[in-house]
Structures are given as structure tokens and as C-alpha cells.
Amino acid sequence: MRLIVGRIGKPHGIRGEVTVEVRTDEPEARFAPGSVLATEPGAAPPANPAPGPGVPFRVPAALTVESARWHQGRMLVAFAGILERDVAEALRGTLLGVDSADVAPPEDPEEFHDHQLVGLAAVTPAGEHLGEVVKIDHAPASDLLVLRRPEGRTALIPFVRAIVPEVDLAGGRVVVDPPGGLLDL
């Protein structure tokens, strides 16, 4: 499964450096020099289809990080082989990802990556099926498990120990003990 770790923004300067909208908790690890990031096919049609004379530009299947740095709260990244502003502009909007198999699980047993939770069955402590985790919303107060209920509706479950007392990755389930009315919203 591919995990999106960033999206290329506008070029910065004239030497091919770009801004990156970071979508990972570990930007220093994901954008370390030498890291190879897969590009999302078709994520961004080239803004300039012909950056060189008669040579159409195609977004490569992967980009290698040459350097990365923070500048005024933004991540600036230089990729190997991207040496001109026109080529960097053609990358705008491209999604950057890594394979989930290459991401080490968190050391804290109470911490989980989103991709570990998506697809898990949600059940009550008594074993009643509540639905399936389809997404994680990262809200300011707490993370929310987005459940697809059996009847097709969605439900938002605060991902806190009082409501989600157990996550059983091996068993493919999360135990949800919802307070009255939570699933009726």
C-alpha cells in the first residue's frame, strides 16, 4: 500500500528546488537525502508540457531527494536531475509516496499508523459488529476513526482509550465502547 508523504508545490528559486506540502509525521526521515519517493501516476499533468526544446516532460515514476531544508515554515526539496525552474514547475501537484512495507511500526504499542487501522472491523465489547474503519481524520482535539456502518452511513469515533479500549491488529479489529447516542449522530 502506498502512503502519501507529501505533495509538490511551486518552485522555489531558479535551480529546480520545490516547496513540498508535508503529509507525514516524520518529514526528516521521509525527505532525507538519498530517499526515493514514488510519484502518484497522473497526479499532476505537466504545467509546461515541453520544458526543453522539443522534449516533452513526463513526471518520473520516482524521485530521489538530493537535499531538503525548512525555510519560513515550508519544506524545500531538491530532487536529483531536476535542475531548472521549468522542470520543477511541471512537477507541481505531484503526490509523493512510500510503500507501507518500508515504514517501521511505531515503537510505542499505543501508537498506530493510519494504514494499520484502515480496514479493521469495529466491534463492541460484546462482539456486535459496528462497521469498518475506512479513514482516520486528524482533528484538533483528537483523532477520529471514520467508520462505515453496515447500513452505509458513516460514524465518527473519537480515538481515545475511554471509547476505543482495544486495538487488535493481529485479529483485524478495534473494540469500540461508544457512549449512548454517539452512533446516532
Side-chain angles (χ1 to χ4, degrees), residues 122-130 173-178:
V123 298
T124 65
E128 176 190 351
H129 181 70
L130 297 174
R173 67 187 188 115
V174 292
V175 175
V176 177
D177 191 7

Side-chain angles (χ1 to χ4, degrees), residues 65-139:
V65 176
E66 197 167 87
S67 67
R69 62 189 173 99
W70 290 98
H71 175 68
Q72 296 181 347
R74 293 185 185 154
M75 171 75 70
L76 299 179
V77 179
F79 293 105
I82 309 299
L83 305 173
E84 300 171 359
R85 184 179 182 89
D86 289 344
V87 177
E89 178 64 41
L91 292 172
R92 187 187 286 223
T94 300
L95 296 175
L96 302 168
V98 296
D99 190 327
S100 62
D102 297 337
V103 177
E107 292 178 17
D108 182 352
E110 299 295 315
E111 188 177 321
F112 305 95
H113 291 299
D114 291 2
H115 72 275
Q116 294 176 296
L117 300 171
V118 172
L120 296 180
V123 298
T124 65
E128 176 190 351
H129 181 70
L130 297 174
E132 177 186 347
V133 178
V134 293
K135 180 175 143 181
I136 312 301
D137 276 347
H138 299 282

Side-chain angles (χ1 to χ4, degrees), residues 34-46:
S35 297
V36 177
L37 302 172
T39 59
E40 193 68 34

Side-chain angles (χ1 to χ4, degrees), residues 20-39:
V20 172
E21 174 190 320
V22 175
R23 296 185 183 177
T24 176
D25 290 341
E26 301 171 323
E28 285 75 16
R30 301 288 165 250
F31 295 97
S35 297
V36 177
L37 302 172
T39 59

